[in-house]
Structure formats: structure tokens, C-alpha cells
Amino acid sequence: AQSVTQLGSHVSVSEGALVLLRCNYSSSVPPYLFWYVQYPNQGLQLLLKYTSAATLVKGINDFEAEFKKSETSFHLTKPSAHMSDAAEYFCAVSGASGGSYIPTFGRGTSLIVHP
Amino acid sequence: NAGVTQTPKFRVLKTGQSMTLLCAQDMNHEYMYWYRQDPGMGLRLIHYSVGEGTTAKGEVPDGYNVSRLKKQNFLLGLESAAPSQTSVYFCASSPGLGIGETQYFGPGTRLLVL
């Protein structure tokens, strides 16, 4: 079985501040991990993903995430928030469970950026 | 290359009415998925398909049916709509090459059931 927990349904930061969105996973097999972003009234799009190569993964728009097996975490960070980063962020985990690669999504974290 | 498209974008139904949501993809992907998104619940998988002519149940399949008669299309049907089915529905597709692949999402269909 696999699951994802995103800590905090809402995160509020000031423009220019560090962004940290937390994701912890549970998986009985080595996981593949994803961060997707959903801008208002749009579908989800991939931000970055970890597929067992480098543990520090860089994505679009200066976002990055670090896979920490010992902490079962895959937190998303960005050094300096922009107003345009305001969106819903979803963490997802995929593992070869029962021959299915279907990802499981977290409940999402809404990032609010204040001027 | 349109990617994943969904029809309609918005729909209002009365309780008991039926409707079909259409998802189309032009990327020749094998896998297709239907999700519903509700506030505080994230994305929940309704049904999915791993190839033309195949479908499988996801996490919340009750009250929905699906069909994948053509590789590029994945239909989601509501036979008798209920207010609990008010939601935003997203279709997604992926190549079907294996674990760790990216899903590509459509823009969503907002459904309101009165």
C-alpha cells in the first residue's frame, strides 16, 4: 500500500520568502515521487519527480525537492516566492504495488503569496 | 498537439439525470484516468484504463461507469446523478511505459448536481 501526507492544507508566505511545502510518503516498495502544481481553474501539471536517480531533484520555476529515505519525506522548496507561485500543490507517490503503477495523490497544499 | 481535452467544461444537472463526460488525448498514450477533486480531499481516482477496451475501478467508482472503445477517448458516465457527485472532474493520460511516468491532465469539467 502507498500513501502520501501533505502537512498543512494552506501555507502563506511573503513575496521573496522561502517556500517550503511538506510531503511524507508511505510505500512498501521503493517509491517514485512527484510534485504537481495546479494554477487556478486549470488542470495539474508536473513540477518535478524523483525516479531513483539523484536525491535532489530540480524542477521548473526554480522549485526543487529532496528525497530523504530515512525521513520518508519529499519536501518541496523554492528560495524566493513570486506572486505567480500562488497555486495548489500536490504530492504523489507511485510504487509497483500489485503490478499497478497508478499514483496516489495527497490532499494538496494551497500556497498563498502576499505582496 | 492539443494534449488532453475534456468536454464539456461546465454542466448543471438535476438529481437523477444522466450525462457523459468525454476525454480525448492526441499523444497516443496507453493509460487514461478519471479523477474527481473535492475541497480538502485532493484527487481521488474513479476509474482508469490501461489500454483500448480495458477499464478498472479506482478508489471511488460507485455511481460511475466508463468506456474506452477507442485508444484516444475515455468516457465517464453518470447514470443517475446525485448531489454528492458535484465536483470537478479531471481526466489524465500517461504513456503506459512503466513506473514513474508523468501524467498529463486535462483542464477539468465542473459538474453541479442540484
Side-chain angles (χ1 to χ4, degrees):
Chain A
Q2 57 193 29
S3 65
V4 164
T5 301
Q6 292 185 240
L7 300 176
S9 58
H10 294 83
V11 170
S12 182
V13 300
S14 298
E15 192 174 18
L18 172 71
V19 175
L20 171 60
L21 304 182
R22 299 177 187 273
C23 173
N24 289 89
Y25 70 91
S26 172
S27 176
S28 58
V29 297
Y32 288 77
L33 294 155
F34 310 79
W35 276 101
Y36 285 85
V37 59
Q38 181 184 30
Y39 297 106
N41 298 314
Q42 295 185 25
L44 281 70
Q45 56 185 278
L46 183 72
L47 205 52
L48 50 82
K49 64 179 177 181
Y50 166 76
T51 56
S52 75
T55 57
L56 182 63
V57 182
K58 295 188 183 298
I60 60 173
N61 299 335
D62 295 328
F63 281 95
E64 63 180 36
E66 186 172 8
F67 172 68
K68 292 187 176 180
K69 184 178 179 180
S70 60
E71 299 177 8
T72 61
S73 69
F74 191 57
H75 301 332
L76 182 70
T77 60
K78 180 174 179 175
S80 177
H82 290 175
M83 296 295 291
S84 59
D85 294 327
E88 190 87 13
Y89 292 80
F90 292 93
C91 183
V93 62
S94 177
S97 173
S100 169
Y101 304 144
I102 309 299
T104 299
F105 284 82
R107 296 192 172 195
T109 298
S110 180
L111 177 64
I112 302 161
V113 183
H114 297 286
Chain B
N1 194 339
V4 179
T5 58
Q6 292 183 232
T7 308
K9 288 184 171 53
F10 178 71
R11 184 76 184 267
V12 179
L13 287 180
K14 295 181 179 179
T15 297
Q17 287 184 320
S18 64
M19 78 163 295
T20 300
L21 282 67
L22 170 64
C23 175
Q25 52 95 3
D26 61 2
M27 297 174 282
N28 201 34
H29 285 173
E30 289 294 333
Y31 284 27
M32 296 186 74
Y33 317 77
W34 276 108
Y35 292 91
R36 60 177 289 172
Q37 182 181 26
D38 303 290
M41 300 298 291
L43 286 173
R44 293 183 291 171
L45 183 65
I46 304 171
H47 286 280
Y48 64 99
S49 167
V50 299
E52 181 178 318
T54 73
T55 62
K57 294 180 180 180
E59 181 185 355
V60 288
D62 294 341
Y64 305 94
N65 57 74
V66 288
S67 65
R68 182 104 182 263
L69 298 180
K70 292 182 179 180
K71 185 176 183 179
Q72 64 268 32
N73 295 338
F74 195 28
L75 304 177
L76 178 70
L78 286 73
E79 289 185 348
S80 180
S84 61
Q85 294 177 304
T86 292
S87 187
V88 182
Y89 292 86
F90 288 98
C91 176
S93 70
S94 64
L97 299 175
I99 194 170
E101 61 183 21
T102 300
Q103 287 179 298
Y104 296 83
F105 286 81
T109 294
R110 294 181 179 276
L111 177 64
L112 174 62
V113 183
L114 302 175

